[in-house]
Amino acid sequence: RRCVGRAASLRGARLGAPARLLILAVTGTALAAVVATSLGLLPLVGPPRLSTAGFTSASSDLRAATKESLLTAAGATLLAAGMGLTIATLVLRTGRTGRLMIGASVAVMTVPHLVGATASGLLLSGVGLAQRWLGIPSAACPELVGGRLPSATVFALAWDDSAFIDLLFLPSVGPLPAAPPAWAAVLGAAPRAQWRRVLLPLAAPALASSSLIVFVYSLGTYEVARLLGRAYPEPLPVMAYRLFTNIDVTARPQAAA
């Protein structure tokens, strides 16, 4: 059995090798070009000269942008994981209604992030729909869009990505009609014990991997942060794009950094 398993693993590795090599070549070349540009070795004009000016000239802005991006990505990931876990738990406990919730999650995933960000801005801005529906005076309305904290950005990312976590979470538990939490209920486990001792351990790997994907995406997203974030500090993707499209070609090393 060990020999058969090892042979199957080697065969799978050989079949996947071309795709892995292609990904490594494309990604490695892009990363090498970015690093070389940030160090002044691939200038648009003038001779190449090794320098760390791309990092040091905007060091304060770079630190602020990094903090803003990490805060946004961490907040969006935690909120999306909580929402996805809650939706998955409801799906498992509501039977046929759960299938409608799965359909709603699939529909949410088809909404582009740009459309979700625009809708969030119309809903959460100081003169938005939420403020009008709730009858809150403009002076008392919390500043969610472009405010001190990236609240609207976190909400827009979490709203869309929670469906992604939900749909990756459910298959790890088992088929809906005969999921392990249902077996635990038949054996007399209380709902809290089912959730804590059966559901979470089974779904922990899927929850961790999907949360990591959401974190990486939230860290690199541009359009949501650009529409809903404040002007300063900018998140890293917004800052990089602004510097990359700057008419001053000497700002290219800063953009690469």
Side-chain angles (χ1 to χ4, degrees):
R1 290 181 180 178
R2 289 182 179 178
C3 292
V4 172
R6 190 172 299 172
S9 298
L10 290 175
R11 183 170 179 272
R14 285 197 299 269
L15 290 174
R20 292 191 182 96
L21 290 175
L22 181 61
I23 292 172
L24 286 174
V26 173
T27 308
T29 302
L31 287 175
V34 169
V35 172
T37 302
S38 68
L39 296 175
L41 299 178
L42 287 177
L44 289 180
V45 293
R49 183 173 59 88
L50 182 63
S51 171
T52 59
F55 292 90
T56 57
S57 60
S59 57
S60 59
D61 292 339
L62 194 59
R63 284 194 297 270
T66 302
K67 291 179 181 177
E68 187 77 2
S69 292
L70 290 175
L71 177 63
T72 302
T77 303
L78 290 174
L79 184 58
M83 293 169 63
L85 186 57
T86 302
I87 295 170
T89 303
L90 292 175
V91 167
L92 291 172
R93 292 184 176 177
T94 51
R96 292 183 178 179
T97 309
R99 299 189 182 278
L100 296 177
M101 298 180 69
I102 293 176
S105 297
V106 174
V108 167
M109 287 191 64
T110 63
V111 178
H113 278 81
L114 183 60
V115 175
T118 305
S120 298
L122 294 173
L123 181 67
L124 300 176
S125 65
V127 290
L129 295 177
Q131 178 259 334
R132 297 178 186 178
W133 289 340
L134 296 175
I136 302 175
S138 299
C141 188
E143 196 175 9
L144 300 177
V145 177
R148 182 171 168 270
L149 294 175
S151 306
T153 307
V154 168
F155 171 79
L157 290 171
W159 169 75
D160 205 343
D161 293 333
S162 62
F164 171 75
I165 292 179
D166 170 29
L167 294 177
L168 262 67
F169 184 97
L170 288 172
S172 65
V173 178
L176 290 184
W183 304 341
V186 171
L187 294 173
R192 183 176 298 179
Q194 297 171 31
W195 191 84
R196 183 168 55 88
R197 296 195 172 188
V198 180
L199 185 64
L200 274 185
L202 280 174
L207 182 63
S209 59
S210 57
S211 297
L212 178 61
I213 293 172
V214 170
F215 179 84
V216 172
Y217 178 82
S218 301
L219 195 65
T221 186
Y222 165 78
E223 65 275 13
V224 179
R226 180 66 180 85
L227 283 173
L228 302 177
R230 50 181 171 169
Y232 185 86
E234 303 168 303
L236 282 172
V238 178
M239 180 181 178
Y241 183 80
R242 176 178 60 80
L243 291 171
F244 191 83
T245 55
N246 197 328
I247 193 172
D248 182 9
V249 294
T250 59
R252 189 62 58 86
Q254 299 175 18

